[in-house]
Amino acid sequence: MQRQGSPPLFRRGPPVEIRLAVMVALSLALLVLDSQFHLLEPLRRAVSIGLYPFQRTVMAPRDFVRQFNEWVDAANHNRTENEALQRQRIELSQVTTHAAQLAAENAQLRRLLGVTDTVDQTAVVVEVLYEPADSFQQRLVFNKGSQAGLAPGMPVIDEGGVVGQIVRVTPQASEAALVTDERVSVPVQVLRNGLRLIAFGSNSPGRIEVRFLAANADIQEGDTIVTSGVGGLFPAGLPLAKVLTVERDTASGFARAVCEPLAHPERHRHFLVLQVDVARAESDLQEAESGGSQ
């Protein structure tokens, strides 16, 4: 009599341990064969080719972010380099301008040193601090004063000739009136014939006038006017101006000459102040006036 049992619900295969051992053996065999004979290389290539589009699709966002960051970094780097080059260009331009200015000042100082060899007076080199903003007065303020031996009345010159005269002094600074200032008068003479005159500042900017001339005075256009040395403040022979025009009025019997200064204070920063004996010049002038009145 046959025994009747319950039918199995699941088909049973080999035990798990056996299947694991077979898979391990198969894997080891494939590893050995592939390492020795490269049997799986075509399969590996086929799988790699098939997976490449999926790899590129998955890596596309990362590549986009990386390229975008590289573009931003390159733009920032280019902007930084452009700013550095622009700053360097400006600095080099400033250095070049400063070097040219120093060269011009050095050349002018050399010319001033050459002037001191022709003048029998001790001189002090001064530098312009500023020019007062006054349309009615033509003045310059220098960086040296009474502590450097300057005093009112001392003449100021450059390599072209007489620039002006010190009119106000403090311990550390001094103020000079230019020869074109209406308040300045300089005893002069015509270099060609020695005719003594008085030069005054003019109402016209940058001009000097020689007034109260006789209508037949021997003065011509193009004559050079130099200091005569009369009065003792301005040494004789300093160039002052060149005659531009001569106006003769036969009705009044007088003539007037308009001159152009030979010095150019607007072009330079350094000048020479001649340390003349102002007190002695004033005493000599007072003695001459008192002697003439007697």
Side-chain angles (χ1 to χ4, degrees):
M1 187 173 179
Q2 295 180 351
R3 294 181 60 185
Q4 294 182 355
S6 58
L9 297 178
F10 301 98
R11 178 179 294 181
R12 296 181 178 181
V16 177
E17 292 80 2
I18 296 176
R19 284 186 291 177
L20 177 62
V22 172
M23 295 300 294
V24 170
L26 180 61
S27 299
L28 292 176
L30 289 175
L31 288 174
V32 172
L33 292 175
D34 184 60
S35 62
Q36 294 295 328
F37 305 103
H38 303 287
L39 297 178
L40 298 180
E41 185 64 25
L43 179 62
R44 187 180 293 109
R45 291 180 180 178
V47 173
S48 177
I49 293 173
L51 292 178
Y52 181 76
F54 298 99
Q55 292 176 347
R56 297 302 304 172
T57 302
V58 172
M59 296 174 62
R62 187 208 65 177
D63 295 339
F64 174 77
V65 172
R66 179 179 297 175
Q67 291 180 358
F68 180 77
N69 291 334
E70 291 178 353
W71 178 81
V72 172
D73 293 340
N76 293 332
H77 182 68
N78 290 334
R79 183 172 61 255
T80 303
E81 284 189 348
N82 289 335
E83 292 176 354
L85 290 175
Q86 182 72 7
R87 183 171 57 253
Q88 185 179 10
R89 184 184 66 83
I90 294 174
E91 292 175 352
L92 289 176
S93 176
Q94 293 177 350
V95 169
T96 303
T97 303
H98 185 61
Q101 182 181 6
L102 290 179
E105 291 182 356
N106 186 31
Q108 197 235 347
L109 288 175
R110 289 179 180 273
R111 292 193 296 269
L112 287 178
L113 292 176
V115 171
T116 57
D117 295 336
T118 61
V119 178
D120 295 333
Q121 294 286 344
T122 57
V124 177
V125 179
V126 295
E127 182 179 358
V128 176
L129 288 179
Y130 63 92
E131 184 175 355
D134 189 346
S135 58
F136 298 100
Q137 295 181 346
Q138 301 181 36
R139 305 289 178 91
L140 293 176
V141 177
F142 300 132
N143 63 337
K144 294 180 181 179
S146 58
Q147 291 182 352
L150 303 187
M154 291 183 176
V156 182
I157 66 172
D158 66 3
E159 64 269 23
V162 179
V163 173
Q165 189 175 22
I166 301 294
V167 294
R168 186 177 293 110
V169 172
T170 63
Q172 289 84 21
S174 58
E175 183 176 351
L178 302 182
V179 292
T180 53
D181 192 290
E182 294 181 353
R183 297 170 179 80
V184 176
S185 61
V186 182
V188 297
Q189 65 182 29
V190 179
L191 183 62
R192 176 174 55 85
N193 54 19
L195 178 64
R196 290 192 300 272
L197 309 165
I198 301 293
F200 301 89
S202 175
N203 295 326
S204 302
R207 293 292 182 264
I208 298 174
E209 292 183 359
V210 179
R211 308 169 187 166
F212 314 117
L213 294 173
N216 60 350
D218 186 9
I219 184 170
Q220 303 173 3
E221 296 181 5
D223 281 343
T224 300
I225 305 298
V226 299
T227 55
S228 63
V230 176
L233 291 178
F234 291 88
L238 296 177
L240 180 67
K242 179 175 289 187
V243 178
L244 296 179
T245 60
V246 179
E247 302 173 1
R248 304 181 187 273
D249 188 355
T250 56
S252 62
F254 291 99
R256 182 175 71 99
V258 179
C259 309
E260 180 184 13
L262 295 176
H264 299 282
E266 72 280 359
R267 301 180 184 177
H268 305 302
R269 292 177 54 193
H270 298 88
F271 302 94
L272 290 180
V273 178
L274 302 182
Q275 293 181 301
V276 298
D277 192 346
V278 178
R280 180 177 178 181
E282 291 178 352
S283 63
D284 293 343
L285 181 60
Q286 291 177 358
E287 291 179 1
E289 291 178 351
S290 60
S293 62
Q294 291 177 359

